[in-house]
């Protein structure tokens, strides 16, 4: 509880919510620093041009990706996931919480992104590709006019094998960085925190990735990775806490989503608001996507981050204005959650500050809740997500029940029935079947004990 006094000095008015946060109750927090897009964007260190540049780079790599990851061939090497309506789940939510959800309910299935089965297949893979391109251009092995499928050759793999890549991860980022780097020929080391699952470590080791395990949490794994990389000039460290490249790789999702919404004939404009609910760990994934969406839809999109009640690091950083200067441990929370990827005690300061003018709010969700929603999504829609990926699912209910101030303030109450809610389903496809069955069983048990107390 080192920092609690400092917190009190910062935001007296927020103390009731802070106390709830400390007692691990589920809360919805509305961001008082949300601005009109027009003024918010003037404070941003990144622009639409940066996102477009990332988009172009991914297009250059598409022929290579299609060649080395055949599952991406149908999409010509573009790593993208489906957007689906989930009407049966919507019905369940409405009945279970006695709360109508006005507007459409959709699931963005990043759980089914090719190559690494999670949201990290966006930012993580993008950053590795960008680094590889820089090296190859520098050494005049490649021009940006080339067909990048030439990278799938012994010549390039030998070249990249002189370089190494390192990353600290709770698991999913390690999968993305590890799989992509190893495929290109890099020496790659993943520093895994204690909560990382065994199957993820095994899978990476099978792909010739060095996995180093730590008995501490994510922040420590990152610190160790950074330290080791610092001493080696041929080693590139993927810095999940500060990387602009990761952030931009995620932001590309927005223009892809726009196309998918158009294909589903869902309009987003001043009469048709869009609400997006994104599970948040250190912040890069949800931050990048929210940033990309704000660039496209400006004040017509409303982004909310979702975090576990035991790891609400971004909420705490934003609420107190302390960003990465405070951790959930500082307010006495244990940062223990089954939500892989969300067990982060200290948020990215870069993401927190970048997203501050754009984020509508942030809420917390208990692990029990994640499991019961996981089970219901299987029963209603036949879709299997990992627990963390369910954090967004309760968003529309929370907003309708606890966010009426927000809806009124932004003139949204009347528009809700013409709007759309997108739950960002951030992972799940790579989870082994027996583990998925355990998740489902846990959800089932929790549902039963709730019904028969
Ligand atoms: C990493 C991850 C997130 C959150 O992304 P951050 O960039 O860490 O905020 C959400 N869901 C899953 C499944 C993840 O692996």
């Amino acid at each position: 509880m080192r920092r609690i006094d400092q917190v009190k000095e910062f935001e007296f008015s927020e103390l009731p919510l802070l106390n709830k946060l400390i007692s691990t109750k589920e809360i919805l927090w509305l961001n008082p620093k949300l601005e009109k897009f027009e003024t918010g964007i003037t404070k941003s260190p990144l622009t639409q041009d940066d996102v477009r540049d990332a988009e172009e780079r991914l297009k250059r790599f598409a022929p290579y990706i299609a060649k080395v990851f055949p599952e991406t061939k149908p999409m010509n090497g573009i790593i993208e996931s489906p957007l689906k309506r989930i009407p049966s789940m919507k019905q369940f939510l409405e009945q279970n919480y006695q709360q109508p959800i006005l507007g459409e309910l959709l699931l963005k299935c990043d759980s089914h992104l090719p190559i690494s089965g999670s949201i990290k297949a966006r930012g993580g893979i993008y950053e590795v590709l960008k680094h590889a391109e820089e090296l190859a251009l520098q050494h005049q092995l490649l021009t940006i006019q080339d067909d990048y499928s030439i990278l799938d050759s012994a010549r390039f793999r030998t070249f990249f094998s002189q370089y190494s890549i390192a990353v600290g991860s709770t698991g999913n980022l390690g999968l993305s960085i590890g799989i992509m780097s190893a495929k290109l020929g890099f020496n790659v080391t993943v520093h895994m925190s204690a909560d990382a699952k065994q199957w993820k470590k095994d899978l990476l080791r099978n792909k010739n990735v060095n996995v180093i395990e730590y008995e501490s949490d994510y922040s420590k794994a990152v610190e160790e990775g950074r330290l080791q990389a610092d001493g080696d000039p041929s080693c590139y460290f993927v810095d999940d806490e500060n990387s602009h490249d990761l952030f931009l790789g995620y932001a590309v999702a927005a223009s892809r989503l726009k196309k998918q919404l158009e294909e589903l004939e869902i309009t987003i404009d001043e009469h048709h608001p869009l609400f997006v609910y994104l599970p948040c760990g250190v912040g890069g994934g949800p931050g990048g996507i929210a940033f990309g969406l704000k660039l496209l839809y400006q004040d017509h999109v409303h982004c909310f981050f979702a975090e576990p009640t035991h790891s609400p690091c971004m909420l705490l950083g934003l609420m107190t204005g302390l960003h990465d200067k405070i951790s959930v441990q500082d307010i006495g929370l244990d940062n223990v959650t089954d939500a892989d990827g969300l067990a982060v005690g200290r948020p990215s300061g870069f993401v927190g500050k970048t997203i501050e003018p754009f984020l509508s709010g942030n809420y917390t969700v208990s692990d029990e809740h994640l499991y019961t929603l996981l089970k219901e999504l299987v029963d209603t829609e036949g879709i299997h997500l990992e627990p963390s990926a369910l954090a967004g699912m309760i968003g529309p209910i929370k907003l309708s029940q606890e966010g009426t101030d927000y809806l009124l303030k932004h003139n949204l109450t009347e528009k809700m029935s013409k709007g759309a809610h997108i739950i960002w389903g951030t992972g799940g496809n790579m989870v082994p079947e027996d583990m998925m069955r355990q998740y489902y069983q846990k959800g089932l048990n929790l549902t039963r004990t709730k019904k028969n107390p």
Side-chain angles (χ1 to χ4, degrees):
M1 297 261 203
R2 275 179 293 141
R3 280 251 155 68
I4 195 76
D5 296 333
Q6 206 176 334
V7 173
K8 281 179 188 164
E9 279 166 34
F10 270 82
E11 294 287 344
F12 271 113
S13 60
E14 309 250 42
L15 263 180
L17 264 191
L18 187 63
N19 284 333
K20 274 193 174 175
L21 201 66
I22 291 169
S23 61
T24 68
K25 292 221 171 60
E26 291 191 357
I27 65 165
L28 170 73
W29 171 79
L30 298 170
N31 179 13
K33 293 187 179 149
L34 172 66
E35 290 181 39
K36 287 266 180 235
F37 174 79
E38 239 169 71
T39 58
I41 194 65
T42 61
K43 297 175 184 160
S44 170
L46 298 166
T47 66
Q48 180 77 62
D49 283 344
D50 297 318
V51 181
R52 218 169 282 135
D53 176 59
E55 219 169 320
E56 291 306 314
R57 185 165 291 105
L58 286 169
K59 281 186 195 151
R60 291 199 287 278
F61 272 98
Y64 168 74
I65 297 290
K67 193 163 173 218
V68 297
F69 297 109
E71 77 260 36
T72 66
K73 225 180 199 146
M75 288 147 86
N76 298 316
I78 294 296
I79 303 163
E80 196 43 71
S81 73
L83 176 69
K84 284 184 187 165
R85 287 189 170 93
I86 45 170
S88 307
M89 186 66 183
K90 185 178 184 210
Q91 208 171 23
F92 162 79
L93 290 169
E94 291 180 323
Q95 284 168 3
N96 194 60
Y97 296 97
Q98 301 283 304
Q99 172 63 54
I101 297 173
L102 301 177
E104 301 244 23
L105 185 67
L106 300 110
L107 182 67
K108 181 62 175 158
C109 305
D110 272 11
S111 47
H112 291 70
L113 275 175
I115 303 177
S116 66
S118 84
I119 186 172
K120 304 295 192 308
R122 298 184 185 277
I125 289 177
Y126 172 72
E127 179 149 1
V128 173
L129 295 178
K130 176 155 192 253
H131 180 58
E133 186 186 56
E134 266 166 11
L135 286 173
L137 290 174
Q138 247 170 40
H139 289 80
Q140 281 149 20
L141 296 170
L142 187 74
T143 70
I144 62 167
Q145 283 79 34
D146 284 335
D147 176 338
Y148 279 24
S149 61
I150 58 171
L151 271 78
D152 179 31
S153 62
R155 177 165 167 254
F156 274 98
R157 279 187 290 273
T158 308
F159 169 69
F160 290 128
S161 73
Q162 308 165 70
Y163 300 92
S164 49
I165 291 183
V167 67
S169 171
T170 62
N172 284 343
L173 185 63
L175 284 183
S176 281
I177 302 286
I179 293 171
M180 191 65 247
S181 305
K183 187 64 98 182
L184 283 158
F186 285 106
N187 274 306
V188 51
T189 303
V190 177
H191 300 266
M192 287 278 202
S193 55
D195 51 316
K197 299 278 187 296
Q198 191 58 43
W199 68 267
K200 293 183 183 173
K201 298 174 197 167
D202 295 342
L203 187 150
L204 284 175
R205 288 189 171 122
N206 280 332
K207 293 190 190 285
N208 270 328
V209 174
N210 311 308
V211 177
I212 303 181
E213 301 174 52
Y214 296 91
E215 280 176 25
S216 41
D217 80 352
Y218 162 86
S219 303
K220 183 77 185 162
V222 171
E223 196 182 310
E224 285 295 325
R226 193 182 281 134
L227 222 85
Q228 292 200 5
D230 273 352
D232 176 0
S234 70
C235 183
Y236 180 82
F237 180 67
V238 177
D239 189 341
D240 199 11
E241 290 173 335
N242 299 298
S243 169
H244 288 198
D245 287 333
L246 269 178
F247 191 84
L248 291 169
Y250 289 117
V252 169
S255 63
R256 313 254 185 91
L257 184 80
K258 188 164 186 275
K259 264 188 222 129
Q260 291 180 318
L261 282 166
E262 284 161 9
E263 280 160 21
L264 292 172
E265 299 185 348
I266 294 173
T267 306
I268 307 301
D269 61 21
E270 68 170 306
H271 306 291
H272 302 80
L274 174 63
F275 300 88
V276 185
Y277 308 92
L278 299 135
C280 178
V282 73
I289 291 171
F291 180 73
L293 287 169
K294 289 304 272 194
L295 287 172
L296 288 186
Y297 293 119
Q298 309 200 350
D299 298 327
H300 311 322
V301 65
H302 308 269
C303 299
F304 292 86
F305 287 177
E307 291 175 290
T309 47
H310 285 246
S311 308
C313 66
M314 187 58 79
L315 202 171
L316 182 65
L318 289 167
M319 177 193 261
T320 57
L322 290 170
H323 297 288
D324 57 345
K325 303 294 185 297
I326 189 165
S327 73
V328 302
Q329 287 91 348
D330 291 340
I331 60 164
L333 296 179
D334 59 9
N335 191 28
V336 174
T337 165
D338 283 356
D340 290 24
L342 308 190
V344 178
R346 189 183 296 278
S348 159
F350 152 64
V351 173
K353 288 169 203 161
T354 304
I355 207 67
E356 195 157 47
F358 303 121
L359 192 67
S360 297
N362 206 320
Y363 65 85
T364 56
V365 51
S366 70
D367 277 23
E368 295 75 40
H369 227 146
L370 297 178
Y371 280 115
T372 51
L373 292 166
L374 182 150
K375 177 242 170 213
E376 290 305 332
L377 189 65
V378 174
D379 290 352
T380 55
E381 304 283 347
I383 300 173
H384 293 75
L385 300 184
E386 58 185 279
S388 24
L390 273 304
M393 192 59 81
I394 199 67
I397 299 286
K398 286 225 185 284
L399 180 62
S400 309
Q401 292 184 339
E402 297 163 49
T404 38
D405 285 356
Y406 182 87
L407 301 180
L408 282 170
K409 182 173 174 194
H410 296 276
N411 240 333
L412 290 162
T413 316
E414 303 298 317
K415 300 175 187 167
M416 294 305 283
S417 57
K418 289 189 214 141
H421 304 268
I422 295 180
I423 312 302
W424 215 278
T426 45
N429 202 26
M430 306 249 316
V431 176
E433 229 172 89
D434 59 332
M435 180 141 298
M436 194 54 91
R437 216 170 298 128
Q438 288 172 31
Y439 289 157
Y440 180 89
Q441 193 59 44
K442 209 160 173 174
L444 186 64
N445 294 344
L446 284 163
T447 310
R448 283 186 182 143
T449 48
K450 227 172 42 186
K451 277 189 185 137
N452 312 302

